[in-house]
């Protein structure tokens, strides 16, 4: 009796289980190799000349969409290799997709927003943008998220829906930008001298444009100082370099010509 049971079990395993295991192994190999091939194919397509003619936003979006589509097709093919009817699988996925769509309407809006971003092009790959209190260079426009790299090299994933529904400030579209400074000088200062010193400081920096010309204006009278507006135009890529260097240059120039910047002294009381 035991011999018969062992023989029957061995026959069952050999005829039913082992072939099924081989199918599973084959399906896993298809997925493993297929996913790598998908990455290679997408990389080849995105580096082709015809693809390079597309807008950078379109390139990023299509590459992500193509990668996801090909991997889904691979998964369906692998499932069919195991013996599961793909028609039943597709019907199940459709039903699940409809249920998920109702539950995740916000998520689907991110996909729709991604399409809007690609076609309306409020920004491009490589642009520096500010939105919702976040600033960074656009690294990638995905189906669901847009990736920003901040100035301190953080990677931030912003949902496309949030981007499409928020105000976006694109700092890379225009060739030039204006920098506005405000300096406070003592009431005893010679205003004409202050103006000459600021304009001379601007003329010594080759990154500052002379057309439009720098401007110096009196902006107001404070309690203990005169408020002076100083406006400069620079190439967009030189904005931050000029912004930070100008504070140091103006302070040195004011010191050289005896122009005082008022400040409040702190009263420090030491206990005896």
């Amino acid at each position: 009796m035991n011999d018969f049971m062992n023989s029957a079990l061995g026959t069952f395993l050999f005829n039913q289980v082992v072939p099924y295991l081989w199918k599973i192994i084959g399906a896993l190999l298809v997925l493993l190799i297929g996913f790598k091939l998908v990455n290679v194919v997408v990389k080849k397509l995105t580096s082709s000349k015809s693809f390079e003619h597309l807008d950078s936003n379109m390139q990023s979006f299509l590459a992500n969409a193509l990668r996801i589509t090909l991997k889904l097709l691979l998964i369906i093919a692998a499932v069919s290799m195991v013996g599961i009817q793909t028609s039943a699988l597709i019907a199940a996925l459709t039903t699940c997709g409809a249920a998920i769509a109702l539950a995740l309407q916000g998520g689907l809006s991110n996909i729709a927003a991604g399409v809007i971003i690609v076609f309306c092009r409020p920004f491009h790959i490589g642009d520096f943008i500010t939105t919702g209190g976040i600033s960074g260079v656009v690294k990638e426009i995905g189906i669901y998220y847009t990736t920003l790299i901040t100035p301190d090299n953080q990677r931030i994933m912003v949902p496309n829906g949030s981007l499409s529904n928020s105000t976006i400030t694109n700092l890379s579209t225009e060739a030039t930008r204006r920098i506005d400074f405000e300096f406070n000088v003592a009431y005893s200062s010679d205003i004409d001298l202050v103006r000459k010193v600021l304009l001379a400081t601007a003329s010594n920096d080759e990154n500052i444009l002379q057309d439009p010309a720098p401007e110096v204006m009196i902006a107001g009278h404070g309690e203990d100082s005169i408020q002076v507006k100083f406006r400069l135009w620079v190439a967009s890529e030189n904005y931050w370099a000029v912004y930070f260097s100008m504070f140091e240059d103006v302070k040195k120039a004011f010191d050289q010509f005896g122009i005082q910047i008022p400040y409040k002294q702190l009263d420090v009381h030491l206990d005896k």
Side-chain angles (χ1 to χ4, degrees), residues 131-161:
T131 179
I134 301 171
S135 298
V137 176
V138 180
K139 179 72 173 179
E140 181 182 35
I141 301 173
I143 293 179
Y144 199 86
Y145 292 103
T146 292
T147 303
L148 301 181
I149 304 297
T150 63
D152 57 348
N153 206 34
Q154 295 184 55
R155 180 183 292 264
I156 299 180
M157 313 289 286
V158 184
N160 290 332

Side-chain angles (χ1 to χ4, degrees), residues 77-114:
V79 168
S80 66
M81 288 179 61
V82 176
I84 300 176
Q85 294 293 327
T86 54
S87 58
L89 176 64
I90 294 173
L93 289 175
T94 303
T95 303
C96 290
I100 293 172
L102 292 175
L104 300 176
Q105 292 182 7
L108 292 176
S109 69
N110 286 324
I111 299 175

Side-chain angles (χ1 to χ4, degrees), residues 24 48 128 186 246 255:
I24 293 176
S48 64
F128 189 94
M246 193 51 53
D255 290 346

Side-chain angles (χ1 to χ4, degrees), residues 104-265:
L104 300 176
Q105 292 182 7
L108 292 176
S109 69
N110 286 324
I111 299 175
V115 176
I116 293 172
I117 289 172
V118 167
F119 285 97
C120 292
R121 295 182 292 182
F123 52 81
H124 297 81
I125 302 296
D127 284 356
F128 189 94
I129 66 171
T130 297
T131 179
I134 301 171
S135 298
V137 176
V138 180
K139 179 72 173 179
E140 181 182 35
I141 301 173
I143 293 179
Y144 199 86
Y145 292 103
T146 292
T147 303
L148 301 181
I149 304 297
T150 63
D152 57 348
N153 206 34
Q154 295 184 55
R155 180 183 292 264
I156 299 180
M157 313 289 286
V158 184
N160 290 332
S162 298
L163 277 175
S164 64
N165 292 318
S166 300
T167 299
I168 300 172
T169 303
N170 192 331
L171 304 177
S172 300
T173 54
E174 303 301 325
T176 59
R177 291 181 62 189
R178 193 182 75 188
I179 311 177
D180 290 0
F181 296 96
E182 184 174 298
F183 298 108
N184 296 327
V185 299
Y187 274 104
S188 59
S189 301
D190 183 337
I191 296 301
D192 292 331
L193 178 61
V194 171
R195 179 176 284 104
K196 289 178 181 179
V197 169
L198 288 175
L199 293 177
T201 304
S203 65
N204 290 332
D205 191 332
E206 61 182 11
N207 290 325
I208 296 175
L209 302 177
Q210 298 304 312
D211 185 17
E215 296 177 294
V216 179
M217 296 160 288
I218 304 302
H221 296 159
E223 292 183 1
D224 55 2
S225 63
I226 300 174
Q227 299 166 0
V228 181
K229 286 280 189 181
F230 188 29
R231 292 179 176 176
L232 308 172
W233 286 88
V234 297
S236 294
E237 62 269 19
N238 295 327
Y239 183 92
W240 291 110
V242 173
Y243 179 85
F244 289 113
S245 67
M246 193 51 53
F247 285 106
E248 180 177 348
D249 293 343
V250 168
K251 177 61 170 65
K252 290 179 178 178
F254 279 2
D255 290 346
Q256 181 181 352
F257 289 90
I259 299 172
Q260 294 183 354
I261 300 175
Y263 65 94
K264 293 181 179 180
Q265 292 183 337

